[in-house]
Amino acid sequence: MFVVATAGHVDHGKSTLVRALTGMEPDRWAEERRRGMTIDLGFAWTTLPSGGTVAFVDVPGHERFVPNMLAGVGPVPAALIVVAADEGWMPQSAEHLAALDALGVAYGLLVVTRADLADPGPATARARAEIAATSLGAVPAVAVSGLTGAGLPELRAALDRLAAQLPAPTLDDPVRLWVDRSFTVRGSGTVVTGTLGAGRLRVGDELELAGADEPVRIRGLHSLGEARAEATAVSRVAVNLRGTPRDRLGRGDALLTPGRFHHTDLVDARLAGDPAADLPATLTLHVGSAAVPVRVRPLGPDTVRLRLARPLPLLVGDRALLRDPGRHHVSGGVRVLDVAPPPLVRRGAAAARAQVLAELDGRPDLAGELRRRRLIRSGALIRMGVPVQDLPVHAEPMRDGPARAEPVAGDWLADPAHWRRLGEQLTEEVARHAREHPLAPGMPVDALRQRLALPDRVLVEALVRPPLRIHAGRVGAASADALPEAVARAVQRVRAEYGDRPFRAPEADRLVDLGLGPREIGAAVRAGALLRLADNVVLLPDALDDAVRVLAGLPQPFTLSAARQALDTTRRVAVPLLELLDRRGATRRLPDDVRIVVT
């Protein structure tokens, strides 16, 4: 199936054409049929000569119903532009074409109706010239008569050719189904309809209603009037939702794949149309089937910041249009550049932002987003429309391929240059803290997080590299080289005095004489320069390995007394030393209070 929307001036025969092609009545309301004028969206479908199916979204042509027209055109990939041979190009022809151009619609057909009433040549020439200057470019033209049926076979063949030109739908993309109708079916509950432009829907799927926290579940699916277990893009679908009240959603809402879209009320965008400086302060943004008032802030000559009256599920690269409803004027199309832009609070921030936006083209760019944002969670990028999955190596631009990303911690991604600078800054901050607090057991992780302006402490932990280490929530040096000079000298005196008696510990008064108080001992122990067995009981750091070698030479098992004599030490040292060896698994204490060396 492919989906095409009609476009054109009121009373140029759009609904008559759809009726003649499909045999179905696109005008759903009795008022429309009574007045002979389409007011709201209509839907019909038919089989083409190739066997494929085309579904039509028939839109109103009167200027009062342009918002309805835009709701139908927004999600549709192709357009059927209808011009009457007897009236030619008209004001709503121009506004509808401007809307298609603003939305970037690139596929379409020109159909000149009422060819039985006037020569279609002049109307065709004028319409093709107007269309050629837009995103549609040169389009095929077919002259028809809905009354006599002339030209309908040629139009069916042209629709087949148009269908063959359309790009293949992306079935694995997340679903964003813009709702264009919402109603209740007795016995079934709430039903919504829309054009499924990407992805797939299945009965039983859980979706997310844009702007709401609770999930919704698909109870049933219909497409082209038939119940289906699955619907794939591109197609017209009706979705029956389980347990969702009718008043919870309507035109302009969207059903989404959970967790895949960023709901935003602030976007930066590039404008194609009126200069940014000439735009009114308030306009209406049309995207998908939604129409939302926005406040406009010009940034550069063709870039604007839009503040939406309500959040919408937008992605980088989305196409939308701005319209001034008071003047019935399409101000221009916009392409979304950023769905999570930074605040503009300092003098000159708007001009600086405009320079950044001037380099963006609306295509998702992983390396560029990392460079601009420096640190961001991968899930946040995915919800912006920037793909990061299946990119397993490093977040760097590659010569022969796209950027690749690997989290630096958890699901955090980082710009490589910024990550290197953070590592250097962390080292500098720890060194500065050590100079200012020489006996402190390192710099607290949370203090480092604040100094580096990091959003998560796991990022601090990921930045720590040898010779730094994290111990007890603090980052400090892991070697004796980082000891204050006075403490280093005291440790050297301990080594000189006790080096030949490695299992003799200085008494408390001797430690004081050496200048080793509790804080100094703590610093030396953290640096690995001393080994603490108990309060005021310290040995040189290689004492444990030496003790194991000595004890292994004793008859096994051995007693505390035998160990004390072999080590030439006191009970004050031997008891905590053996207990430490037990905890480390070097020795094992047996039930009768003897030990063995574990080999």
Side-chain angles (χ1 to χ4, degrees):
M1 180 196 310
F2 84 103
V3 183
V4 62
T6 63
H9 194 74
V10 63
D11 201 30
H12 274 206
K14 296 185 295 299
S15 298
T16 299
L17 179 65
V18 171
R19 198 176 299 116
L21 283 169
T22 66
M24 302 174 68
E25 176 56 68
D27 289 336
R28 296 179 291 115
W29 310 116
E31 176 70 7
E32 293 178 302
R33 294 190 287 271
R34 184 183 68 80
R35 296 171 62 181
M37 182 176 71
T38 300
I39 297 172
D40 205 350
L41 302 178
F43 310 98
W45 59 89
T46 189
T47 302
L48 295 173
S50 67
T53 301
V54 57
F56 295 95
V57 179
D58 187 35
V59 306
H62 197 282
E63 65 177 6
R64 291 188 308 172
F65 306 117
V66 169
N68 290 349
M69 174 266 180
L70 293 173
V73 169
V76 172
L80 207 66
I81 304 165
V82 178
V83 178
D86 57 338
E87 292 190 358
W89 196 252
M90 296 291 283
Q92 289 312 118
S93 306
E95 185 169 13
H96 284 202
L97 180 61
L100 295 173
D101 184 37
L103 292 170
V105 177
Y107 300 91
L109 288 173
L110 169 63
V111 182
V112 179
T113 58
R114 302 181 189 170
D116 56 318
L117 299 180
D119 178 6
T124 301
R126 170 71 187 280
R128 294 186 81 168
E130 297 283 348
I131 296 169
T134 70
S135 59
L136 286 155
V139 296
V142 181
V144 303
S145 169
L147 182 64
T148 68
L152 291 182
E154 290 80 4
L155 177 56
R156 291 177 181 277
L159 285 167
D160 253 336
R161 291 191 294 272
L162 176 62
Q165 295 173 6
L166 295 177
T170 49
L171 303 184
D172 295 327
D173 278 6
V175 167
R176 179 173 50 175
L177 180 70
W178 293 102
V179 174
D180 51 39
R181 291 176 63 207
S182 175
F183 51 91
T184 300
V185 174
R186 181 175 296 179
S188 296
T190 300
V191 176
V192 298
T193 67
T195 300
L196 180 63
R200 63 180 76 231
L201 295 171
R202 298 182 182 90
V203 173
D205 280 354
E206 185 175 278
L207 300 174
E208 175 182 292
L209 176 59
D213 291 333
E214 72 229 33
V216 296
R217 191 172 294 278
I218 298 178
R219 179 180 182 180
L221 280 172
H222 277 71
S223 184
L224 306 184
E226 296 181 1
R228 301 177 187 269
E230 177 181 87
T232 59
V234 173
S235 60
R236 287 290 305 172
V237 293
V239 185
N240 180 203
L241 300 174
R242 177 178 287 120
T244 303
R246 160 70 180 82
D247 58 4
R248 290 299 306 277
L249 74 174
R251 178 172 293 173
D253 289 322
L255 298 179
L256 312 169
T257 298
R260 294 299 301 272
F261 292 87
H262 179 69
H263 297 80
T264 181
D265 62 358
L266 191 69
V267 299
D268 288 347
R270 172 160 288 110
L271 176 69
D274 296 344
D278 295 342
L279 294 179
T282 303
L283 292 169
T284 299
L285 179 75
H286 293 266
V287 57
S289 62
V292 178
V294 295
R295 292 193 62 82
V296 182
R297 177 176 181 176
L299 297 176
D302 65 345
T303 52
V304 292
R305 174 158 291 187
L306 305 176
R307 184 168 293 279
L308 285 62
R310 66 180 176 92
L312 291 178
L314 300 180
L315 301 173
V316 172
D318 275 346
R319 300 294 293 261
L321 69 84
L322 292 171
R323 184 172 182 268
D324 185 343
R327 294 190 299 153
H328 305 290
H329 172 67
V330 174
S331 298
V334 293
R335 185 152 191 170
V336 174
L337 303 178
D338 194 339
V339 295
L344 303 176
V345 293
R346 297 182 179 179
R347 183 183 298 273
R353 181 62 177 165
Q355 291 180 350
V356 173
L357 296 178
E359 300 176 358
L360 306 184
D361 59 5
R363 288 181 292 184
D365 172 20
L366 175 60
E369 292 292 341
L370 292 178
R371 188 168 56 253
R372 288 184 292 274
R373 300 181 187 279
R374 298 186 175 184
L375 282 167
I376 190 169
R377 293 183 183 274
S378 58
L381 281 177
I382 291 171
R383 288 189 293 274
M384 295 176 190
V386 181
V388 299
Q389 62 270 35
D390 302 323
L391 301 175
V393 190
H394 296 289
E396 297 179 327
M398 310 296 286
R399 288 185 179 178
D400 54 352
R404 298 172 180 264
E406 180 179 279
V408 294
D411 63 344
W412 285 99
L413 300 175
D415 172 60
H418 180 61
W419 190 247
R420 286 192 295 271
R421 288 193 296 269
L422 284 173
E424 295 166 359
Q425 187 180 350
L426 179 139
T427 301
E428 293 169 0
E429 291 291 341
V430 172
R432 180 191 59 78
H433 185 273
R435 290 192 300 271
E436 296 175 358
H437 309 278
L439 298 179
M443 188 172 182
V445 169
D446 282 333
L448 264 174
R449 183 185 63 79
Q450 294 174 11
R451 291 300 294 262
L452 300 180
L454 293 174
D456 195 328
R457 62 179 288 142
V458 300
L459 294 167
V460 178
E461 296 166 359
L463 284 166
V464 174
R465 297 286 186 273
L468 299 181
R469 66 171 182 171
I470 299 178
H471 179 70
R474 291 174 176 263
V475 180
S479 70
D481 295 339
L483 284 174
E485 185 177 350
V487 178
R489 283 200 306 268
V491 170
Q492 283 300 110
R493 293 180 65 183
V494 170
R495 185 171 292 278
E497 294 181 17
Y498 294 91
D500 57 348
R501 296 175 297 162
F503 308 113
R504 294 278 182 162
E507 297 293 337
D509 56 352
R510 181 56 183 154
L511 290 172
V512 172
D513 291 342
L514 292 169
L516 291 173
R519 295 182 67 199
E520 289 79 6
I521 291 173
V525 169
R526 287 190 298 273
L530 291 177
L531 173 68
R532 193 202 314 262
L533 298 181
D535 289 343
N536 289 328
V537 180
V538 296
L539 298 177
L540 294 171
D542 47 3
L544 284 183
D545 292 338
D546 292 343
V548 171
R549 285 194 295 271
V550 171
L551 297 174
L554 292 175
Q556 307 290 310
F558 56 87
T559 63
L560 171 62
S561 177
R564 182 183 60 77
Q565 292 178 27
L567 297 172
D568 187 23
T569 189
T570 63
R571 184 179 180 88
R572 167 175 167 263
V573 173
V575 170
L577 176 60
L578 289 174
E579 290 175 348
L580 179 58
L581 290 174
D582 290 344
R583 290 196 298 274
R584 296 197 175 186
T587 59
R588 185 165 74 246
R589 189 173 181 177
L590 301 179
D592 52 354
D593 205 28
V594 294
R595 288 177 170 83
I596 60 172
V597 173
V598 178
T599 56

